Amino acid sequence: MSDLRKEALEYHHLNNKPGKISVTPTKPLDTQRDLGLAYTPGVAEPVLEIEKDPATAYLYTSKGNLVAVVSNGTAILGLGDRGPLASKPVMEGKGVLFKKFADIDVFDIEVNSHDVEEIIKVVAAIAPTFGGINLEDIKAPECFEIERRLEDMLDIPVFHDDQHGTAIISGAGLLNALELVGKDIGKIKIVISGAGASAISCAKMAVLLGAKRENITLVDSRGVVYEGRTEGMNKYKQEFAGKTNARDLKDACKGADVFYGLSVADVLKPEMVKTMAKDPLIFAMANPNPEIPYDVAKAARPDAIVATGRSDTPNQINNVLGFPFIFRGALDVRATHINDEMKVAAAHALADLTKEDVPDSVLRAYGIESLKFGRDYIIPKPFDPRVLLWEAPAVAEAAMHSGVARVKVDIEEYRQALALRQGKGQQVRQYFMNKAKLLPKKMRIVFPEGEETKVIRAAAQVEEEGIGQPILLGRPDLIAEEIKELGLRYKPEIIDLRRFDRLEDYIAAYYEQRQRRGGTLANAQKHLRDRNVFGAMMVKMGDADAMVSGLTFEYPEVIRPALQIHHTAKGVKRASGVYIMIVDDRVYLFTDATVNIEPTAEDLAEIAILAADFAKQLGLEPRVAMLSFSNFGGTPHPLSDKVRRAVDLLHQRAPKMVVDGEMQADTAVVREIVEKRYPFSKVQEANVLVFPSLEAANVSYKLLNRLGNAQTIGPIILGLGAPIQVMQTGDEVRDIVNMAAVAALDAADRKPGGNHKKPVRKAKPVAKVGVKNGRAKRKVR
């Protein structure tokens, strides 16, 4: 047994649990009351509502997020007709991809029939259950008839992915590859090897994108599909029967600009490739083995742009870039069909996304250092999380414009709602960024590590997204070279410390501030060469509104000059740090894990007030737990007494704050413990956890992050005298962008009148888009 075969079979029986999908309840079912609501007698109420108004099925059932994946197993991948039961692993796999990439639920339906009429009858009969129908692995030409008839009969989207998925993804690649080689789609000659469902659909998509029908040549197992041919023809091939003297693939390839392979392995020979036009595009998409191996094609034509269906070569044409997101957009506007306009919109969205900076998470997933638009990257990678945010909105918008949408959505709000499907961490990040985008005046954010690749990429996003106006500290020539290497369309504001015309003013101001703290003029001149000192002074001198640093520095190297220059905020004795922790879609604030090593009772009270105020900024109602190893005086000790004194101070200083302690960590977060043992506690299910020492907080957040799969955002510095935030070594670009948004909001809040309090359009707090009583709930749209 081969390693792949063994591993695949073990995977499908992993943990003694056969298959890849299951049904998971979305509502509580823990009490008799729950049972009465989920089933009889309560279930009668939505039944009656749906009878009166069928559209309410989208409100009271899973119909709006449920797709049927239907097959009869007559064209399973490259395995041919293996029957409906044997197709089930593929259909379950399709369901997994729907769920993973677009949060769409799936029932796989395997139909035991080769009869077109019977298949149509079965699918039409079960259609009321679903929001959409995905036809899969049904052979041509039957698949054309089944899809067409069902589209006419049903008022929900019907989509044969084998046809249209490949066409859309390859279409995106075609647009970008032609841009790279400088060719006009209206003038290119295309040869397509294959004349089945996907081949015909690819030909049609090329026409929709601008290719001329007369410039497309189909070649099937009998040769070129030409005008007047009768053998092996059908009405679908006939549509592309051309006037040509070419009779085989070798003839057809001469002078061709594009080769589409949707046939069998090794049919395209190197000598054929050599006869193609300059800078040929070779999309060899047969699976698992392409019409010509990638390396063979490149050896024959080094000037070629080559794509395959394989994941181990550049430019993979993978249908998972299409169907999950196309259905997501269609379902969310309750489209009646997936029409040509929606397919073209999907192709353009993918093509456009390819030209954007690639996230670190994608680079990490594929084990590569960098990736940019070019000959080896003409379509996005399947694990790029931004595909959902680009493609689904494009599809939804096209559905609305073309008149097949039954629900209208605001595209920007819809994009935000899609981000929520990517998890609570993305939701919180989106909240900061959206709020920063709404600022009427963009804050100037200085990045002392302006020569770092990640910082440059983040700064480009900060500017492009409208989060702020980045300022990079560094050498202009090195930064320009890095921008060119990254392929970014970005012209940053750069300050070169060696040539800064206000340097003497900065030195004088710094010396004046530090002269009675042991500082000399010589020391001032020396310290201003430190980019963290210089960045902090830019904020002090009004040349920047905020600063973000720390990617390549130790934490104290950033926080120390910030405190020396700006001290703490008015009325605050000690700054502190807070981490946003997302655990199973619950949001917690952990403090202080970064600044105060051994806080006193007074310090802990101040730390709690700062964290509670920050929670309110997020839209959370703070429930503050003061943590210790003791519960409410149960273990008298100087350490637990310290925490108890902090609670007393908080009751005096912030009488309206919901706070209690001292208490153990499990008491703080488990409602049942409080209800059974400490019913007098003012706090249940705390969401702000104040740790007794930096040691305890730091250990806890790191263990939870590594062992508990918690998502971490931070640290966010609270109580500083200026809007300065500290990154962590190893932060990704998205983390830097998020920290810039936090710094921008902080800066705006310090302006007279609080700049961000008058947004053009109100940003929704985290609590309003999914958090209630510490528990995450998906907002119903």
Side-chain angles (χ1 to χ4, degrees):
M1 183 182 292
S2 68
D3 289 342
L4 176 61
R5 181 168 185 266
K6 181 181 178 182
E7 190 176 346
L9 293 176
E10 287 176 351
Y11 175 85
H12 283 79
H13 194 70
L14 195 64
N15 299 325
N16 202 32
K17 191 169 184 178
K20 299 188 286 281
I21 57 176
S22 65
V23 176
T24 303
T26 61
K27 303 295 184 293
L29 197 60
D30 303 317
T31 66
Q32 184 177 354
R33 180 67 173 169
D34 292 340
L35 184 60
L37 293 172
Y39 203 55
T40 183
V43 73
E45 298 307 320
V47 168
L48 296 173
E49 289 298 313
I50 293 168
E51 182 191 28
K52 287 189 291 185
D53 180 5
T56 59
Y58 288 93
L59 297 178
Y60 301 124
T61 76
S62 61
K63 176 182 175 73
N65 197 53
L66 187 61
V67 167
V69 174
V70 180
S71 180
N72 67 349
T74 52
I76 304 174
L77 300 177
L79 302 174
D81 188 349
R82 303 284 171 148
L85 183 58
S87 75
K88 187 170 176 61
V90 180
M91 303 312 122
E92 286 189 0
K94 202 80 171 185
V96 169
L97 299 178
F98 266 111
K99 189 64 178 177
K100 168 69 176 178
F101 290 101
D103 194 28
I104 294 173
D105 298 317
V106 161
F107 289 159
D108 58 295
I109 309 292
E110 290 75 36
V111 181
N112 188 16
S113 177
H114 285 64
D115 184 82
V116 168
E117 296 299 329
E118 189 171 13
I119 294 170
I120 291 171
K121 185 176 179 181
V122 167
V123 175
I126 64 173
T129 302
F130 301 98
I133 306 290
N134 183 96
L135 301 174
E136 192 75 19
D137 290 355
I138 301 173
K139 73 181 182 71
E142 290 90 335
C143 60
F144 298 116
E145 181 73 6
I146 292 169
E147 183 188 45
R148 184 188 64 78
R149 296 264 301 278
L150 286 172
E151 281 185 323
D152 290 343
M153 295 169 65
L154 304 180
D155 64 349
I156 58 174
V158 179
F159 185 81
H160 184 207
D161 183 51
D162 300 309
Q163 292 183 59
H164 311 300
T166 304
I168 291 165
I169 314 310
S170 60
L174 178 66
L175 290 172
N176 278 338
L178 289 174
E179 179 179 330
L180 287 167
V181 300
K183 292 185 180 181
D184 183 346
I185 193 170
K187 298 177 181 178
I188 59 170
K189 178 182 176 184
I190 303 174
V191 174
I192 300 179
S193 176
S198 56
I200 297 291
S201 188
C202 282
K204 290 182 176 180
M205 175 56 71
V207 172
L208 289 172
L209 294 173
K212 303 295 184 184
R213 190 179 300 268
E214 59 269 24
N215 291 341
I216 297 174
T217 302
L218 286 186
V219 185
D220 65 9
S221 58
R222 291 179 172 86
V224 170
V225 176
Y226 59 89
E227 196 173 86
R229 192 182 108 173
T230 57
E231 185 182 8
M233 293 293 287
N234 58 46
K235 62 181 180 180
Y236 306 105
K237 294 181 186 179
Q238 190 63 47
E239 188 177 346
F240 287 92
K243 295 180 180 179
T244 176
N245 294 322
R247 290 296 180 264
D248 57 22
L249 184 59
K250 182 179 179 180
D251 291 341
C253 283
K254 292 175 183 177
D257 298 284
V258 179
F259 171 86
Y260 268 11
L262 298 136
S263 52
V264 296
D266 300 321
V267 70
L268 183 65
K269 306 302 180 184
E271 54 268 27
M272 299 179 190
V273 173
K274 291 177 180 179
T275 67
M276 294 180 70
K278 181 185 177 184
D279 294 318
L281 313 183
I282 301 170
F283 290 12
M285 296 175 278
N287 266 321
N289 297 312
E291 285 78 4
I292 185 170
Y294 179 89
D295 55 345
V296 174
K298 291 293 285 185
R301 289 297 296 268
D303 62 333
I305 294 179
V306 183
T308 72
R310 296 178 62 95
S311 60
D312 56 356
T313 60
N315 300 323
Q316 184 190 16
I317 307 292
N318 192 324
N319 281 22
V320 78
L321 284 167
F323 66 86
F325 315 105
I326 292 165
F327 267 99
R328 180 76 275 156
L331 290 174
D332 290 337
V333 295
R334 299 185 197 170
T336 56
H337 297 84
I338 295 173
N339 58 25
D340 288 342
E341 290 87 344
M342 296 159 75
K343 297 168 191 173
V344 169
H348 278 286
L350 289 170
D352 292 342
L353 176 58
T354 314
K355 298 164 191 173
E356 299 294 314
D357 186 45
V358 180
D360 292 327
S361 61
V362 177
L363 301 179
R364 191 171 59 249
Y366 290 90
I368 52 181
E369 291 294 323
S370 64
L371 193 63
K372 65 178 181 179
F373 177 57
R375 287 173 172 262
D376 289 339
Y377 179 59
I378 59 172
I379 43 178
K381 295 290 188 180
F383 281 104
D384 191 329
R386 302 169 302 166
V387 177
L388 176 65
L389 307 181
W390 282 65
E391 189 173 357
V395 170
E397 189 168 31
M400 291 188 290
H401 287 166
S402 61
V404 297
R406 287 175 287 196
V407 171
K408 302 292 184 182
V409 299
D410 178 283
I411 289 298
E412 195 53 46
E413 288 186 1
Y414 175 54
R415 189 173 283 109
Q416 294 178 34
L418 290 172
L420 309 191
R421 293 185 179 275
Q422 295 182 323
K424 184 60 65 180
Q426 180 61 23
Q427 176 186 326
V428 175
R429 292 185 184 93
Q430 201 71 30
Y431 167 74
F432 287 127
M433 290 191 284
N434 288 341
K435 203 171 180 185
K437 290 177 188 178
L438 297 176
L439 294 174
K441 181 181 178 182
K442 298 307 173 188
M443 299 295 104
R444 298 161 300 168
I445 306 165
V446 60
F447 293 90
E449 299 152 299
E451 295 175 0
E452 292 297 316
T453 299
K454 286 183 179 179
V455 172
I456 293 170
R457 291 169 55 204
Q461 288 187 28
V462 167
E463 183 171 283
E464 184 177 352
E465 294 285 337
I467 292 167
Q469 297 177 11
I471 303 169
L472 302 180
L473 299 188
R475 291 163 289 185
D477 54 338
L478 291 182
I479 294 173
E481 185 179 338
E482 188 64 26
I483 289 172
K484 183 178 179 181
E485 181 66 26
L486 290 168
L488 298 177
R489 293 164 289 183
Y490 175 44
K491 294 182 179 179
E493 179 181 351
I494 302 171
I495 290 181
D496 186 347
L497 274 63
R498 302 168 302 175
R499 298 175 176 84
F500 184 58
D501 56 7
R502 292 192 62 202
L503 183 59
E504 292 303 319
D505 294 339
Y506 276 43
I507 292 171
Y510 183 79
Y511 171 58
E512 182 179 353
Q513 184 174 16
R514 301 295 299 169
Q515 63 187 350
R516 294 185 179 274
R517 297 175 183 269
T520 65
L521 183 60
N523 282 338
Q525 292 169 335
K526 177 183 176 182
H527 287 156
L528 260 297
R529 298 190 194 105
D530 183 321
R531 292 183 183 182
N532 287 318
V533 174
F534 188 92
M537 282 300 296
M538 285 191 69
V539 178
K540 183 79 172 178
M541 301 293 283
D543 291 325
D545 300 302
M547 173 179 128
V548 177
S549 186
L551 186 69
T552 62
F553 294 105
E554 295 295 330
Y555 193 84
E557 293 179 279
V558 181
I559 198 71
R560 188 181 295 116
L563 284 168
Q564 288 174 344
I565 293 168
H566 295 283
H567 312 300
T568 55
K570 185 178 180 180
V572 176
K573 293 182 179 179
R574 286 185 176 272
S576 60
V578 63
Y579 279 92
I580 301 173
M581 306 294 294
I582 297 115
V583 186
D584 294 334
D585 274 354
R586 295 193 186 191
V587 177
Y588 301 93
L589 303 185
F590 280 27
T591 189
D592 171 21
T594 56
V595 180
N596 299 285
I597 297 175
E598 284 289 350
T600 65
E602 289 75 14
D603 295 336
L604 287 174
E606 188 167 56
I607 289 167
I609 291 171
L610 288 171
D613 287 344
F614 181 67
K616 291 176 183 176
Q617 292 178 34
L618 292 177
L620 298 172
E621 288 298 327
R623 298 183 299 281
V624 183
M626 307 297 288
L627 301 183
S628 180
F629 56 82
S630 170
N631 278 316
F632 303 103
T635 309
H637 186 277
L639 292 177
S640 58
D641 292 345
K642 176 184 76 170
V643 179
R644 194 158 52 254
R645 287 198 306 275
V647 174
D648 292 338
L649 288 171
L650 284 167
H651 287 159
Q652 296 169 26
R653 297 178 184 176
K656 294 183 179 180
M657 181 186 292
V658 180
V659 58
D660 219 332
E662 86 285 10
M663 66 177 75
Q664 295 177 0
D666 57 347
T667 304
V669 298
V670 180
R671 176 185 291 271
E672 290 74 17
I673 294 177
V674 174
E675 289 177 340
K676 291 179 180 179
R677 301 185 61 185
Y678 311 106
F680 55 83
S681 175
K682 297 179 180 179
V683 173
Q684 293 183 349
E685 292 187 324
N687 54 15
V688 179
L689 305 182
V690 181
F691 289 81
S693 67
L694 185 146
E695 181 181 40
N698 193 275
V699 168
S700 297
Y701 100 79
K702 287 189 175 180
L703 280 175
L704 197 57
N705 180 234
R706 297 298 181 182
L707 301 182
N709 267 341
Q711 297 181 65
T712 305
I713 299 175
I716 295 169
I717 307 303
L718 306 176
L720 263 180
I724 294 175
Q725 293 297 334
V726 186
M727 295 180 274
Q728 296 188 95
T729 303
D731 269 355
E732 295 185 354
V733 170
R734 70 171 186 173
D735 300 314
I736 302 171
V737 172
N738 193 69
M739 205 56 69
V742 172
L745 292 172
D746 188 10
D749 196 37
R750 295 168 190 258
K751 300 291 182 183
N755 195 352
H756 78 283
K757 294 176 182 177
K758 299 176 182 177
V760 177
R761 192 166 118 197
K762 191 174 181 182
K764 296 177 182 178
V766 172
K768 300 301 182 184
V769 287
V771 179
K772 186 177 181 182
N773 297 327
R775 299 181 186 274
K777 294 185 178 180
R778 177 162 296 139
K779 184 175 180 183
V780 177
R781 284 191 170 272

